[in-house]
């Protein structure tokens, strides 16, 4: 770990509106804790910024001291890139304010806000935008990576709803970008992640959404192949209001779970609907007639839907994903069979998500080639015992290998950890990657911001 002198730290603290933490501070241990408990890095300094001026000051300090710089928003990413060993963490969590303009249907969101901050601010106006599938995900990292969530088939990806962003670049300057101002940087932020600077605020488009509906249907795991096929066939012609997925999970200890499925592997169909329950029931009637053994069906505010499936913190995590251009019966059988290798009971989930709708029909020019895939398989491992590390990681990798015959090769970086530079390039597409690398060379020529699915600067 780099030991910083008192003079250097005093220089950072002078005029700093937020809080500067070092390992000696009582709040340090909590401040470096991430969602993924496998990540135990120890930064030399954590700069808890109160505004863009603090961020600019912290970037300049990190570069002057030769420190590796990490940027923390929600801290939810599986790779742990929100921390650095011995370096500087620019912690945005205090910058979590959300300002809603209901007339323009926009929200200005602080770089440290999480989904619950955004959803609770927009809900009183019956407005929403595509968010992550849990309320603890950071809005910034989620959106910059593309942003796949429950509302995407109706309202598009999160990045499709990005209207403007305020960015502190590697030289410490603050840039406001949009389609009219710094359009190259604005384009890069639609999927290019945190490669180009520290995003201190985002302006997002909102959509009318007075209410939402959800149906969680449970079966024994052996029913999975028939359930997945029925869901696949239904989704081919489903309206854009319908989202969700098929998920193998540990049956929750809830009243709607049959006793024989509590704490046991179960096959679940999760159906979300952007609208009232009466309309949802009419649309998803064929799915409700498949003979499920447990059910939770409700109309809820969207902010509540977003928090219904929050992953608990403190677990060891490993995720990956494979995007598919088709889902034949053979792929269904392999997907379902691989569920038997999950760590269970645990919060692990073996997920099949549909895209389509406004995802597939959205802007073709952004660097998110995975949006054209109709399906994505997403093994999401969470467990407690380090002795299960190898098993859980192997399960995710084996799931990907099973799906290779139908893979598009595209990668959604928010769904994976560190899987090599080839996968990084696949996340953007080769031509997009080359364009992003040129933009990177303009705004971050020294690759200061490299703790991410990294785009290396190139002229």
């Amino acid at each position: 770990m780099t030991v910083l002198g008192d003079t250097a730290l005093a220089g950072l603290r002078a005029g700093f509106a937020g809080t500067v933490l070092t390992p000696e501070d009582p709040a340090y241990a909590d401040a470096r804790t991430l969602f993924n408990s496998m990540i135990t890095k120890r930064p030399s300094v954590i700069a808890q910024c109160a505004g863009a001026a603090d961020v600019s000051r912290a970037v300049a300090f990190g570069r002057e001291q030769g420190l590796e710089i990490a940027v923390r928003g929600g801290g939810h990413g599986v790779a742990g890139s929100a921390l650095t060993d011995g370096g500087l963490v620019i912690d945005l969590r205090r910058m979590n304010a959300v300002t809603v303009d209901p007339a323009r249907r926009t929200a200005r969101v602080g770089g440290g806000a999480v989904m619950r901050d955004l959803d609770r601010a927009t809900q009183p106006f019956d407005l929403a935008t595509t968010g992550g599938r849990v309320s603890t995900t950071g809005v910034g990292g989620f959106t910059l990576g593309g942003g796949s969530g429950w509302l995407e088939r109706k309202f598009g990806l999160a990045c499709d709803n990005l209207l403007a962003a305020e960015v502190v670049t590697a030289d410490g300057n603050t840039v406001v970008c949009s389609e009219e101002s710094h359009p190259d940087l604005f384009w890069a932020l639609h999927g290019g992640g945190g490669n180009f600077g520290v995003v201190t605020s985002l302006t997002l488009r909102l959509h009318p959404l007075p209410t939402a509906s959800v149906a969680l249907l449970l079966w024994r795991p052996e029913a999975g192949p028939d359930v997945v096929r029925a869901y696949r066939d239904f989704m081919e012609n489903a309206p854009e209001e319908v989202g969700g997925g098929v998920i193998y999970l540990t049956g929750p200890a809830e009243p709607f779970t049959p006793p024989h499925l509590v704490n046991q592997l179960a096959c679940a169909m999760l159906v979300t609907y952007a609208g009232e329950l009466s309309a949802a029931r009419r649309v998803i009637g064929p799915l409700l007639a498949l003979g499920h053994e447990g059910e939770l069906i409700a109309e809820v505010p969207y902010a509540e839907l977003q928090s219904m499936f929050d992953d608990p913190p403190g677990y060891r995590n490993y995720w990956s994903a494979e995007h598919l251009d088709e889902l034949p019966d053979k792929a269904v059988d392999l997907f379902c069979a691989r569920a038997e290798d999950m760590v269970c009971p645990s919060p692990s989930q073996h997920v099949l998500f549909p895209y389509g709708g406004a995802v597939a029909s959205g802007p073709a020019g952004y660097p998110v080639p995975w949006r054209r895939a109709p399906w994505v398989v997403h093994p999401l491992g969470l467990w407690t015992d380090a002795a299960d590390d190898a098993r859980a990681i192997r399960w995710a990798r084996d799931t990907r290998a099973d799906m290779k015959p139908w893979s598009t090769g595209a990668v959604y970086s928010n769904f994976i950890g560190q899987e090599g530079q080839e996968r990084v390039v696949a996340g953007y597409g080769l031509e997009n990657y080359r364009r992003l690398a040129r933009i990177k060379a303009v705004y971050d020529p020294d690759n200061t911001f490299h703790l991410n699915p990294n785009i290396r600067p190139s002229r």
Side-chain angles (χ1 to χ4, degrees):
M1 178 183 295
T2 301
V3 178
L4 297 170
D6 291 342
T7 301
L9 288 169
L12 174 60
R13 289 186 169 110
F16 195 85
T19 302
V20 176
L21 300 174
T22 59
E24 297 76 29
D25 291 303
Y28 172 86
D30 183 64
R32 74 178 185 91
T33 300
L34 297 182
F35 179 79
N36 184 0
S37 67
M38 291 179 73
I39 309 300
T40 58
K41 299 174 185 176
R42 293 180 59 84
S44 292
V45 59
I46 300 173
Q48 296 181 320
C49 301
D54 280 356
V55 173
S56 179
R57 191 177 187 87
V59 169
F61 174 82
R63 298 198 66 182
E64 289 165 1
Q65 297 296 320
L67 298 173
E68 183 176 60
I69 295 176
V71 181
R72 176 170 185 158
H76 203 275
V78 68
S81 58
L83 283 187
T84 167
D85 264 327
L88 164 69
V89 173
I90 297 177
D91 188 339
L92 304 178
R93 284 177 291 175
R94 294 188 179 189
M95 299 167 57
N96 65 347
V98 178
T99 304
V100 177
D101 185 332
R104 290 185 171 87
R105 292 181 180 170
T106 62
R108 190 172 190 272
V109 185
V114 297
M115 290 301 163
R116 72 164 68 92
D117 299 318
L118 173 58
D119 298 333
R120 290 174 181 174
T122 61
Q123 184 173 289
F125 304 101
D126 289 340
L127 297 171
T129 195
T130 301
R133 293 177 173 90
V134 295
S135 70
T136 53
T137 300
V139 178
F142 170 78
T143 303
L144 300 178
S148 170
W150 300 131
L151 299 179
E152 64 191 358
R153 284 174 41 84
K154 179 65 174 175
F155 301 136
L157 299 174
C159 72
D160 297 342
N161 293 286
L162 178 63
L163 301 174
E166 180 184 81
V167 187
V168 175
T169 56
D171 57 9
N173 291 324
T174 299
V175 172
V176 177
C177 63
S178 65
E179 288 185 351
E180 293 77 30
S181 175
H182 301 278
D184 56 341
L185 178 57
F186 186 63
W187 175 84
L189 297 182
H190 288 75
N195 276 282
F196 307 95
V198 184
V199 176
T200 51
S201 75
L202 309 94
T203 301
L204 300 173
R205 180 187 297 111
L206 304 177
H207 306 267
L209 188 70
T211 191
S213 301
V214 60
L216 179 65
L217 313 177
L218 300 175
W219 288 265
R220 299 170 192 259
E222 53 266 29
D226 289 337
V227 171
V228 175
R229 289 186 179 94
Y231 181 75
R232 174 197 62 191
D233 296 345
F234 172 83
M235 289 304 299
E236 285 185 359
N237 298 299
E240 294 182 344
E241 287 80 5
V242 176
V246 176
I247 309 171
Y248 281 91
L249 45 68
T250 298
E254 299 288 349
F256 59 82
T257 306
H260 62 276
L261 290 180
V262 173
N263 289 326
Q264 302 297 315
L265 182 65
C267 178
M269 183 188 296
L270 176 64
V271 184
T272 61
Y273 187 84
E276 297 178 350
L277 183 58
S278 57
R281 282 188 176 274
R282 288 194 298 271
V283 170
I284 69 173
L287 302 179
L288 299 177
L290 294 175
H292 54 276
E293 299 182 55
E295 68 172 38
L296 170 65
I297 302 176
E299 181 176 315
V300 295
Y302 174 64
E304 183 177 332
L305 169 61
Q306 279 282 75
S307 62
M308 288 178 69
F309 306 102
D310 282 0
D311 302 320
Y315 283 82
R316 305 175 76 80
N317 282 242
Y318 187 86
W319 318 331
S320 194
E322 205 67 47
H323 290 76
L324 313 181
D325 56 16
E326 59 177 329
L327 188 66
D329 287 349
K330 178 63 174 177
V332 170
D333 291 340
L334 289 170
F335 169 77
C336 294
R338 191 58 68 183
E340 297 293 336
D341 296 333
M342 289 172 55
V343 176
C344 184
S346 80
S348 292
Q349 299 178 5
H350 187 45
V351 186
L352 174 69
F353 286 131
Y355 286 156
V359 178
S361 64
Y366 294 146
V368 282
W370 46 271
R371 75 187 308 145
R372 303 304 181 205
W375 298 97
V376 57
V377 170
H378 182 31
L380 182 73
L382 295 89
W383 66 99
T384 55
D385 191 344
D388 285 325
D389 286 2
R391 173 187 169 191
I393 293 171
R394 184 174 61 250
W395 162 67
R397 291 175 176 172
D398 287 348
T399 297
R400 277 193 57 216
D402 288 344
M403 297 297 113
K404 278 290 187 181
W406 306 281
S407 173
T408 68
V411 179
Y412 173 32
S413 60
N414 287 356
F415 271 1
I416 69 168
Q418 295 178 352
E419 297 185 4
Q421 191 64 16
E422 182 179 341
R423 291 273 277 174
V424 170
V425 174
Y428 309 117
L430 181 57
E431 289 307 311
N432 286 329
Y433 181 86
R434 289 170 175 165
R435 181 179 173 186
L436 290 164
R438 293 192 294 271
I439 297 170
K440 174 83 167 182
V442 173
Y443 292 96
D444 184 16
D446 299 322
N447 206 11
T448 298
F449 303 108
H450 61 266
L451 292 178
N452 43 50
N454 191 232
I455 298 164
R456 297 166 182 165
S458 174
R459 296 290 182 181

